[in-house]
Amino acid sequence: MAARTGTAHVVTTTRTYKDQVYRTHLLRRSYREDGKVKNETLGNLSHLPDELIEIIRRSLQGETFVPVACAFEITHSRPHGHVQAAGAAMASLGMASLLASKPCRERELVLAMVAARIAAPHTKLATTRWWHTTTLAEDFGVAEADEDDLYAAMDWLLERQDRIQKKLASRHLSAGALVLYDLSSSYFEGSCCPLAKLGYSRDGKKGLLQVNYGLLTDARGCPVAVSVHEGNVADSLTLLPELKRLREDFGVEQLVMVGDRGMISNKAIQEMRECEGVGWISALKSVSIRALVEQGQLQLDLFDERNLLELSSPDYPGERLVACRNLELAKLRTHKREELLAATEANLQKIKARVDAGKLAGKDEIGLRVGKVVNQYKVAKHFELAIGDTTFTFARKRDAIAAEAALDGIYIIRTSVPPTQMDSADCVRNYKSLANVERAFRSLKTIDLKVRPIHHRTADRVRAHIFLCMLAYYVEWHMREAWRELMFADTEQQAKATRDPVAPATRSKAALDKAARHTLDDGTPVHSFSTLMAELATIVRNTCRTPQAGPEAPTFELLTNAQPLHLRALALVQNIKP
């Protein structure tokens, strides 16, 4: 019999049996016999891996395969996707034209520093080293820059701060807009900066020099402007200059200023009353609430059937007072007070035991020991103390404690905004929107951008550093909003405008389900901002060349294929609207 000749090929057949799909891969050869085309099975390949079967199939079709290392070698790999995402967001927001209308070297450096701050915050020296480990230096055209170039660009940025913030205000603050303002602080490394002062530390870093900075945002928490002050400046002293800047520099004549009870002082209120078109929303301090109750102007039994009511008082002429009672907050404060009282009692009991045992004597010595612990938890006002030379007793002031407990969960919003412009519920909602500024401070200080610790020595460099961090947060804020559907954030934001303003905030069912499953509806993982940026960083730009090529040989670049999550995240930031 003549030897059979013909082309070999791989044939795949599929059959279904009892809801199971079975695939068979056969190696066959076609040949002609007596004028007819026939097939001969040479072997069954079904036991081989799918990847090997595909190679056999393509090889039989004429393709040539060689080991990867023989085709090309990778000489350099740099993470790229997170840089691409930050750059796309900045392009959507028009950050380049926001900084300067014409291209220049300083603008390129500032844009690169903003992107670097979002991707991986470092000191300026460390930044010039870090960005070469990614594609940032190449993509932003700053590969040759050193730390002195960055410092010069920061000086250039500070000179343009007022113009940039004016552009942001025109974007986000319209006539009659709600403006949120709050003050925070960050500590210094070193003691040379003239802004560095001892003051009330919001970082809990007692004894360290610090700088204060105030943040202006719109009602959503989108940053518009930042101001930097010495570390010992009181909150209320920074408010009026910001109000003046809003009206005179930014041209926002009609606005409603929202600040906490420590920010909007009585002096500031008196001055704002003289400014036509300026409204404000703040809250009363606990001592003022207690005075209203004692005067009979606020009757606590009115809260038996409702949690919000509006009242007026001759002590606050021309103002509306919106009283609220949050039962969950009341329970929390009652529980916390009892814990603090019990902890203080335990400390006082230890001293009493030493006195009773004769191990501690003398009125001055006993008083010194008591003084060290009685106000450790800020509840000394609730204890009656009796100190003698050989005796010590203490007891709770139960009437005072009961009077304070009666006000648990009660807070009062005070505002000059008329009811025709804003009803009581919206007054409460808008005051609570200050949480958006607090969220901004958390991002700036700890979570992502890490404005602290501050290493700069001159006042202008500190101001430029904090302004740079604000610009980075401006971009990050928009990225977070665009990525809500991919992250643990609640996407149903409209419900905030209609839900009970006094009751504790609740997340939508969809957000709770997402958080409980840790997956999206399509089964992919839910991300935080940092993990999503890390996921995007797995898109890598590889520099390749042929093996054993000399140093002058040409190279080419291969980019990691983007996965569905990458494509989705990049598409979302490309659609950001400023």
Side-chain angles (χ1 to χ4, degrees), residues 178-190:
L178 202 70
V179 181
L180 310 181
Y181 179 67
D182 204 357
L183 195 77
S184 191
S185 61
S186 288
Y187 59 89
F188 274 89
E189 294 293 336

Side-chain angles (χ1 to χ4, degrees), residues 97-350:
S97 60
L98 183 70
L99 297 180
S101 57
K102 296 181 179 179
C104 63
R105 181 60 172 170
E106 290 82 4
R107 191 178 78 170
E108 292 176 350
L109 291 168
V110 171
L111 290 172
M113 283 191 284
V114 169
R117 203 84 207 167
I118 297 169
H122 295 292
T123 64
K124 304 304 177 290
L125 174 59
T127 295
T128 61
R129 297 170 179 173
W130 168 83
W131 63 25
H132 289 285
T133 66
T134 72
T135 58
L136 193 149
E138 177 183 341
D139 290 353
F140 282 80
V142 294
E144 303 301 323
D146 59 23
E147 65 271 21
D148 290 333
D149 296 324
L150 300 194
Y151 291 141
M154 290 173 64
D155 297 338
W156 174 88
L157 176 65
L158 186 63
E159 293 174 357
R160 309 186 64 84
Q161 180 173 357
D162 291 341
R163 278 173 283 181
I164 294 169
Q165 293 182 153
K166 188 174 181 179
K167 291 179 183 179
L168 289 175
S170 66
R171 279 187 184 183
H172 301 290
L173 300 179
S174 56
L178 202 70
V179 181
L180 310 181
Y181 179 67
D182 204 357
L183 195 77
S184 191
S185 61
S186 288
Y187 59 89
F188 274 89
E189 294 293 336
S191 57
C192 298
C193 181
L195 293 173
K197 304 289 183 182
L198 288 175
Y200 172 66
S201 176
R202 296 160 183 84
D203 298 330
K205 299 289 185 180
K206 295 182 180 180
L208 291 183
L209 300 177
Q210 65 176 28
V211 61
N212 288 342
Y213 47 96
L215 188 65
L216 281 171
T217 78
D218 66 7
R220 304 168 300 165
C222 177
V224 172
V226 69
S227 56
V228 181
H229 311 275
E230 293 182 347
N232 58 357
V233 172
D235 293 18
S236 57
L237 296 181
T238 68
L239 176 66
L240 292 176
E242 292 305 307
L243 180 61
K244 181 180 179 181
R245 178 162 63 155
L246 281 165
R247 290 169 60 82
E248 296 180 3
D249 297 344
F250 298 166
V252 185
E253 292 289 337
Q254 307 286 328
L255 59 95
V256 177
M257 201 77 173
V258 184
D260 64 26
R261 64 199 74 189
M263 180 65 65
I264 300 184
S265 63
N266 288 328
K267 180 181 178 181
I269 288 173
Q270 293 300 326
E271 296 201 27
M272 283 192 288
R273 282 175 176 166
E274 298 174 3
C275 300
E276 184 178 353
V278 176
W280 47 267
I281 301 175
S282 187
L284 292 183
K285 296 182 179 180
S286 57
V287 64
S288 301
I289 298 175
R290 189 175 297 109
L292 290 175
V293 174
E294 292 172 352
Q295 295 167 9
Q297 296 171 19
L298 174 61
Q299 300 175 18
L300 300 181
D301 57 0
L302 294 175
F303 288 114
D304 291 345
E305 297 181 357
R306 50 184 169 171
N307 62 6
L308 182 149
L309 57 95
E310 189 167 330
L311 64 145
S312 59
S313 168
D315 294 336
Y316 306 94
E319 298 182 28
R320 298 164 59 202
L321 301 179
V322 182
C324 309
R325 186 173 191 179
N326 184 326
L327 293 179
E328 294 302 318
L329 179 60
K331 294 177 183 177
L332 179 63
R333 288 184 175 174
T334 299
H335 177 71
K336 183 176 181 180
R337 182 190 300 107
E338 180 57 34
E339 284 190 331
L340 297 178
L341 289 171
T344 303
E345 282 180 326
N347 288 336
L348 293 176
Q349 185 60 43
K350 292 178 183 178

Side-chain angles (χ1 to χ4, degrees), residues 425-479:
D426 281 339
C427 287
V428 179
R429 292 189 185 99
N430 290 331
Y431 179 75
K432 286 187 171 183
S433 64
L434 279 173
N436 294 329
V437 188
E438 295 170 359
R439 190 174 299 114
F441 281 135
R442 284 196 298 274
S443 249
L444 280 167
K445 294 165 70 171
T446 58
I447 301 176
D448 304 309
L449 303 175
K450 297 182 181 177
V451 69
R452 64 187 189 190
I454 298 172
H455 297 271
H456 298 285
R457 297 184 177 185
T458 67
D460 282 350
R461 289 280 170 79
V462 171
R463 291 188 174 96
H465 169 72
I466 292 177
F467 182 47
L468 182 71
C469 290
M470 191 215 83
L471 291 176
Y473 180 68
Y474 178 76
V475 178
E476 182 183 309
W477 185 90
H478 283 89
M479 293 176 72

